[in-house]
Amino acid sequence: MVVGAQFGDEGKGKIVDFLAEKVDMVVRYNGGSNAGHTVKVGNKVFKFHLIPSGAVRGKKVVCSGGMVINPQELIEEIRFLERRGIEPDLVVSLRAHVTLPYHPVFDRASEKRKGEEKIGTTGKGIGPTYSDKMKRVEAIRIEDLVSNKFKEKISKVLEAKKKWLIEYGAIKDKNEIEKYKNVILNEYTNYGEKLKKYVGDDSLIINEALDQGKKVLFEGAQGTLLDVDHGTYPYVTSSNAVAGGACTGAGVGPNKIKRIIGVAKAYTTRVGRGPFPTELKEETGDLIREKGGEYGTTTGRPRRCGWLDILILNYAKRVNGLTELALTKLDVLSGITPLKICVAYNLNGKKLKNFPVSTELVEKCKPKYVELEGWSDLGREEWREIAKKGYDALPQEAKNYVEEIERRVNLPIKIISVGPGREETIEIKKELKSKREGI
Ligand code: IMP
């Protein structure tokens, strides 16, 4: 399983693509089109919002029941792949919930109402779709979308939502409801028809594959600190991004999961609002943003940038049961010296070693850093050369940085990414020599 160890955008898409070579199936387990997973193959760049990144490798890919799916965007993604010569071997769970046109309207309107208190959502309607799911009325699942009962169901839902549709500005007044209903009916019946050939029982398909000894890779969206239960609530997304989300989302037992890879960027970024103790609001933050191209894949928003935070990685290790780490974007830190790693928080004079539960407290935490010497700027070719030769070819300071993280998180780092391409990846077969004694 691949799970985000920070605030999302850790580079999971690239790691999934890298690992997908050796698996039979890739399953996305949470979220919706709020996610943006980028995969670069040669000169081609693939940006996925819904379909698991493994599609590029031609693997069987599953959108599990834990997801919320905007059918229009899903069909666009299928077409996008088809135009590039890839016919996705896709399964869409019958249990997944459908994002309808009013969900993004509610999302944006509710953010506007909150004003300064807003979450900073992607505006894709994720929260409202999951809210409808949890309320257990007024929700549409993929099984409804593809059935001949869709008309009846959606009519009831729209009738029940009439007041909200007007209040949130999806329609002007109640006279518009019929027109609105017909537009949705026509469009979504058409989407249902197009998606019919992909739908299935994800849990059954995945478990049968596991029983036959096939290898399945689970792909998480967002990250640990955006998880609805374990993140910096309420500045979170509405799904379970943590490892457990794969079990509930895809209908697999926890005992089936053998390797849980936490993907961490070599620094930290966050998009949207919420606490971020190591955020750099000055020029080093700007430098990292520019060097790392830290702009949202889904919204284009500039990402907030800061130093690596060990408390976050240790927290991710705990709540996900991580068995190893994959470190991404190490190349971005070249030319920056000294480099800082946060190893503790200071909260009103008290030293904290664990990430606090309360978001209010996290906001008050001041990071305590260790400093490490950086390494000089290297060109793309030099990084490719290093990746070809392996871990030992890294500049000594870069190795010190990696080994400092290993030691402090006490987990093996098995993959290091030094660029967006597949060939810019270092796989570490043997454990590093950093003697992970912990601290
Ligand atoms: P929502 O998921 O659109 O409701 O947004 C809730 C929070 O999660 C906001 O801070 C978003 O910026 C953040 N978020 C959602 N999806 C992603 C993602 O894929 N990467 C990074 N941040 C995300």
Side-chain angles (χ1 to χ4, degrees), residues 409-428:
V409 186
N410 198 18
L411 275 180
I413 294 175
K414 295 217 174 147
I415 299 171
I416 300 174
S417 169
V418 293
R422 277 177 186 166
E423 66 292 355
E424 293 161 306
T425 316
I426 302 171
E427 203 172 4
I428 302 164

Side-chain angles (χ1 to χ4, degrees), residues 339-343 368-372 404 408:
L339 294 169
K340 294 187 188 183
I341 295 180
C342 169
V343 295
K368 277 173 70 78
Y369 291 112
V370 291
E371 285 191 6
L372 281 89
E404 185 74 18
R408 289 186 181 270

Side-chain angles (χ1 to χ4, degrees), residues 79-264:
R79 300 282 172 267
F80 174 87
L81 282 169
E82 285 172 346
R83 282 197 299 275
R84 275 152 191 80
I86 299 168
E87 190 74 47
D89 183 5
L90 172 70
V91 177
V92 180
S93 171
L94 287 160
R95 295 179 300 113
H97 278 252
V98 179
T99 297
L100 284 135
Y102 46 80
H103 288 125
V105 175
F106 289 176
D107 194 357
R108 290 195 281 263
S110 111
E111 283 280 273
K112 207 164 160 199
R113 281 184 180 194
K114 285 192 203 116
E116 274 304 291
E117 305 281 290
K118 71 174 183 188
I119 296 167
T121 71
T122 58
K124 293 283 184 178
I126 306 303
T129 314
Y130 278 114
S131 301
D132 280 348
K133 164 179 168 170
M134 291 310 189
K135 281 192 284 194
R136 292 153 298 158
V137 284
E138 302 174 27
I140 301 281
R141 308 214 297 182
I142 291 287
E143 63 168 333
D144 303 317
L145 184 73
V146 299
S147 94
N148 52 16
K149 296 261 171 62
F150 177 61
K151 183 174 180 179
E152 198 184 307
K153 270 223 140 176
I154 192 73
S155 302
K156 273 195 198 147
V157 168
L158 289 175
E159 199 50 42
K161 285 198 179 293
K162 200 156 61 182
K163 183 170 155 251
W164 301 110
L165 292 172
I166 299 167
E167 194 172 328
Y168 282 99
I171 53 171
K172 267 212 278 326
D173 52 46
K174 61 179 189 310
N175 301 325
E176 275 196 1
I177 189 80
E178 271 314 303
K179 199 169 124 207
Y180 191 71
K181 203 191 282 180
N182 286 334
V183 171
I184 292 188
L185 245 181
N186 285 340
E187 250 181 61
Y188 282 71
T189 308
N190 185 16
Y191 296 150
E193 281 304 317
K194 290 198 168 118
L195 291 179
K196 236 176 211 163
K197 67 173 186 181
Y198 298 108
V199 301
D201 180 346
D202 51 334
S203 169
L204 182 65
I205 292 166
I206 298 164
N207 281 282
E208 277 181 353
L210 289 168
D211 290 344
Q212 288 161 17
K214 294 205 167 126
K215 284 207 170 109
V216 178
L217 178 64
F218 293 92
E219 172 178 355
Q222 291 85 46
T224 302
L225 286 176
L226 291 179
D227 180 278
V228 66
D229 292 303
H230 300 284
T232 51
Y233 194 87
Y235 301 105
V236 292
T237 190
S238 303
S239 68
N240 284 115
V242 297
C247 299
T248 55
V252 289
N255 57 342
K256 298 280 165 70
I257 294 151
K258 303 288 181 252
R259 233 179 123 184
I260 306 175
I261 306 167
V263 183

Side-chain angles (χ1 to χ4, degrees), residues 3 7 30 50 62 78 81 89 96 150 155 193 299-300 302 349 387-388 390:
V3 50
F7 295 100
N30 72 303
L50 291 161
V62 181
I78 296 171
L81 282 169
D89 183 5
F150 177 61
S155 302
E193 281 304 317
T299 58
K388 215 183 281 169

Side-chain angles (χ1 to χ4, degrees), residues 3-15:
V3 50
Q6 295 156 323
F7 295 100
D9 305 320
E10 298 93 348
K12 296 179 292 296
K14 151 148 188 187
I15 301 299

Side-chain angles (χ1 to χ4, degrees), residues 204-333:
L204 182 65
I205 292 166
I206 298 164
N207 281 282
E208 277 181 353
L210 289 168
D211 290 344
Q212 288 161 17
K214 294 205 167 126
K215 284 207 170 109
V216 178
L217 178 64
F218 293 92
E219 172 178 355
Q222 291 85 46
T224 302
L225 286 176
L226 291 179
D227 180 278
V228 66
D229 292 303
H230 300 284
T232 51
Y233 194 87
Y235 301 105
V236 292
T237 190
S238 303
S239 68
N240 284 115
V242 297
C247 299
T248 55
V252 289
N255 57 342
K256 298 280 165 70
I257 294 151
K258 303 288 181 252
R259 233 179 123 184
I260 306 175
I261 306 167
V263 183
K265 232 177 237 185
Y267 46 95
T268 314
T269 62
R270 172 163 207 165
V271 60
R273 293 186 67 235
F276 181 177
T278 63
E279 182 170 12
L280 289 162
K281 291 189 176 148
E282 29 71 340
E283 66 228 24
T284 312
D286 297 338
L287 181 65
I288 293 175
R289 183 177 310 107
E290 292 318 311
K291 286 185 78 152
E294 296 295 354
Y295 293 87
T297 312
T298 301
T299 58
R301 291 181 289 178
R303 294 178 184 143
R304 299 156 65 191
C305 299
W307 297 119
L308 186 83
D309 187 333
I310 294 291
L311 281 79
I312 289 179
L313 298 192
N314 273 319
Y315 180 69
K317 176 185 170 184
R318 165 158 52 96
V319 299
N320 294 295
L322 299 181
T323 58
E324 64 194 86
L325 286 177
L327 196 65
T328 61
K329 292 193 143 180
L330 185 64
D331 55 310
V332 173
L333 294 181

